[in-house]
Amino acid sequence: MVNSSTGVGRRRRLEAALEAIVRPSNGFLSALSADDYELIRPHLRAVDLPHDAVLVETGETLKRAYFPHRGVISLVVKLAKGEHVQVAMIGRDSLLGTLSTMGDACALNTAVVLVPGAASVMDLDRLRIAADQSTTLRTLLTRHGLAVYAQVQQTAGCNAAHPVEARLSRCLLHTHDLSGEYRLLLTQEAMAQMIGARRNSVSLVANTLQHANFIHYSRGHIQILNLDGLRQTACECYATVKGQYDRLLGS
């Protein structure tokens, strides 16, 4: 009984905190008109995003849309031989589930929490109903879906053509943008997934960035020290994806 009461109290405090920040802290929610926001507001509830939590597996039906306020969700493709490769990230700028509201809710990839945080969630069916009621809400969902798609295709080209150092710098910059954090908990395995590289390559490149005083890296803990240095090291894909998001979402 004590544990149950504690859990209820914690959830209510979390909901109260998110209610106070819900519009400005998530890019999708803050971009909604007052009428569109009111269509979904009664159905939003607060959840934690624990580190490494799997929100949906490939092939499963996505049942909830996630609007992160803090933290980052990684979209991962799992290959037959066991390799895991990240194809996109979703943070406080967007939502998980945008295309599922307009088509098949079967997940095309696995969604796992890369950086812990908190989010508002709602049943995907409710969001689909709201989108059917509002052309402007449906248009915004489409634009967010296109922005994620732009990130996916740029990531594919980047992982195929650019040096590991440039790819890691790109991903660290993007993770910082999405989370707002300078201190990140990223293991070598997680970074290898982010850039589609082997762990030993990640270790060498992380040490190179540390020697340049762009980051401090120790036992899976990364502190970003020099954003400008990372921008100079990153390939053009970081600016390209950022430009597409700005164009599509006006952020």
Side-chain angles (χ1 to χ4, degrees):
M1 179 66 70
V2 174
N3 289 339
S4 177
S5 299
T6 301
V8 171
R10 186 175 183 281
R11 189 182 73 250
R12 287 176 177 171
R13 289 194 296 273
L14 180 60
E15 289 174 347
L18 287 183
E19 179 67 21
I21 64 172
V22 67
R23 295 303 295 279
S25 65
N26 175 271
F28 180 86
L29 295 176
S30 65
L32 293 173
S33 67
D35 289 342
D36 285 345
Y37 180 62
E38 194 56 32
L39 282 175
I40 69 173
R41 183 195 58 77
H43 309 294
L44 293 171
R45 56 192 185 277
V47 296
D48 286 320
L49 295 176
H51 184 246
D52 281 343
V54 177
L55 306 182
V56 67
E57 287 277 10
T58 303
E60 292 181 349
T61 298
L62 182 63
K63 296 180 179 179
R64 299 194 294 179
Y66 292 79
F67 307 85
H69 299 282
R70 301 188 310 276
V72 178
I73 299 169
S74 175
L75 304 185
V76 177
V77 171
K78 295 183 177 180
L79 303 178
K81 293 185 178 180
E83 304 97 324
H84 294 177
V85 181
Q86 178 179 281
V87 295
M89 291 187 284
I90 295 172
R92 56 185 179 170
D93 62 332
S94 193
L95 73 154
L96 172 65
T98 173
L99 294 180
S100 296
T101 63
M102 295 170 282
D104 191 355
C106 179
L108 300 178
N109 42 55
T110 297
V112 59
V113 177
L114 179 68
V115 177
S120 290
V121 300
M122 67 182 295
D123 291 343
L124 202 60
D125 287 343
R126 292 283 189 179
L127 182 57
R128 188 177 292 112
I129 291 171
D132 289 341
Q133 295 173 340
S134 169
T135 301
T136 53
L137 174 56
R138 191 162 58 250
T139 297
L140 188 62
L141 283 166
T142 300
R143 296 182 77 85
H144 274 261
L146 288 171
V148 173
Y149 176 70
Q151 184 188 161
V152 169
Q153 67 178 10
Q154 194 72 35
T155 298
C158 182
N159 286 349
H162 291 149
V164 175
E165 186 175 351
R167 282 146 56 191
L168 182 58
S169 297
R170 166 182 63 82
C171 283
L172 291 177
L173 286 169
H174 197 190
T175 305
H176 163 74
D177 290 346
L178 295 179
S179 66
E181 300 290 340
Y182 285 87
R183 296 177 182 271
L184 304 168
L185 179 61
L186 293 173
T187 63
Q188 287 186 13
E189 182 179 0
M191 288 190 287
Q193 288 185 132
M194 291 171 74
I195 63 175
R198 298 183 181 278
R199 290 178 59 179
N200 58 347
S201 298
V202 169
S203 178
L204 291 172
V205 170
N207 285 331
T208 298
L209 295 178
Q210 179 164 252
H211 289 152
N213 291 320
F214 295 164
I215 65 171
H216 176 72
Y217 178 64
S218 177
R219 298 181 179 179
H221 294 267
I222 291 181
Q223 181 181 3
I224 296 176
L225 304 174
N226 187 337
L227 286 173
D228 287 338
L230 288 178
R231 291 189 187 103
Q232 292 171 12
T233 306
C235 52
E236 76 269 17
C237 296
Y238 170 70
T240 298
V241 170
K242 190 174 179 60
Q244 292 283 23
Y245 268 68
D246 290 345
R247 180 182 67 82
L248 288 163
L249 308 180
S251 56

